[in-house]
Amino acid sequence: MINSNGNNRKFIGCEPYLNGLASFICKLEKENYNKIKLYKNDIRELLFSFSKKIFDEIFILFPDPWPKARHQKRRIINHENLKLFSSRLKINGKIFVATDVENYFESIQRLFETFGKIKIMNTGSFDVRPKNIISTKYEKKAVYKDIKPLYLEAKKILD
Ligand SMILES: C[S@@+](CC[C@H](N)C(=O)[O-])C[C@H]1O[C@@H](n2cnc3c(N)ncnc32)[C@H](O)[C@@H]1O
């Protein structure tokens, strides 16, 4: 997730598990220390603590898929959470999503299409990684298993 101001881009990374944060910190280069803040908890808690329309970009990359039907309501990308994500984005701000779970992607696409305040920007090229998205560990895992990740780039067009 990013809040940028010209060249002075600031990032906030969010992860509830200490191990995940620790492995990220180990890889973080010193010159980036002052650009990045980390939050150890649920992303929703972090977003509620901010005022509205603060972010330029939000990245949700390979969110936990919760593949079993009875667990699908736990998926982070649902209508209620999209309202929260969208409320913290500036107008013309972007949300980027990536997943290697086809039925999750389809539900995300439907949700974004019907949400009304957000416009999908990369219709027709969901299999091409938008240039703003970095390659992550889970993307590499998917590619290694010969699974093609899918990407969504959407712009907030209305409040
Ligand atoms: C499948 S991993 C993907 C990690 C990384 N984004 C990547 O692409 O390699 C999903 C990560 O999302 C984190 N996560 C799940 N629900 C979350 C939430 N509500 N807030 C913040 N992080 C969450 C999990 O702890 C896990 O580290």
Side-chain angles (χ1 to χ4, degrees):
M1 193 162 55
I2 298 179
N3 172 220
S4 77
N5 173 15
N7 288 331
N8 187 20
R9 300 175 94 206
K10 304 274 190 216
F11 297 71
I12 303 175
C14 190
E15 167 60 52
Y17 295 106
L18 193 56
N19 285 355
L21 284 178
S23 85
F24 175 77
I25 290 167
C26 288
K27 290 179 196 141
L28 187 59
E29 289 161 9
K30 227 177 183 169
E31 60 267 28
N32 290 326
Y33 281 7
N34 61 357
K35 283 192 202 158
I36 296 173
K37 303 261 183 231
L38 296 175
Y39 183 74
K40 186 194 162 301
N41 220 326
D42 192 300
I43 179 69
R44 289 163 289 193
E45 194 180 290
L46 177 75
L47 292 177
F48 278 124
S49 72
F50 281 115
S51 56
K52 293 192 170 177
K53 294 189 273 185
I54 186 168
F55 291 104
D56 294 302
E57 293 173 305
I58 293 178
F59 294 83
I60 309 168
L61 305 181
F62 299 87
D64 291 327
W66 296 110
K68 289 184 183 161
R70 70 176 190 279
H71 289 151
Q72 285 184 4
K73 59 180 180 305
R74 295 196 198 172
R75 287 174 167 175
I76 190 76
I77 306 180
N78 57 34
H79 188 264
E80 191 187 341
N81 292 335
L82 185 56
K83 256 168 62 183
L84 175 62
F85 287 121
S86 165
S87 69
R88 270 42 179 186
L89 255 192
K90 295 178 186 171
I91 289 280
N92 294 323
K94 291 213 176 146
I95 302 187
F96 296 89
V97 181
T99 180
D100 56 343
V101 180
E102 205 173 332
N103 77 7
Y104 195 3
F105 187 84
E106 284 162 4
S107 75
I108 294 166
Q109 187 189 345
R110 272 196 305 278
L111 178 63
F112 277 58
E113 280 167 355
T114 53
F115 188 69
K117 300 178 177 181
I118 279 178
K119 184 175 188 282
I120 296 176
M121 304 304 288
N122 64 333
T123 307
S125 54
F126 296 134
D127 55 347
V128 180
R129 176 171 2 104
K131 62 176 172 28
N132 296 28
I133 296 185
I134 56 158
S135 175
T136 68
K137 178 175 157 186
Y138 275 77
E139 182 191 75
K140 290 182 183 114
K141 274 189 179 186
V143 171
Y144 182 75
K145 286 190 271 177
D146 224 8
I147 302 170
K148 193 100 190 76
L150 294 163
Y151 307 91
L152 197 118
E153 174 177 349
K155 191 199 269 192
K156 176 170 170 178
I157 50 169
L158 285 175
D159 251 337

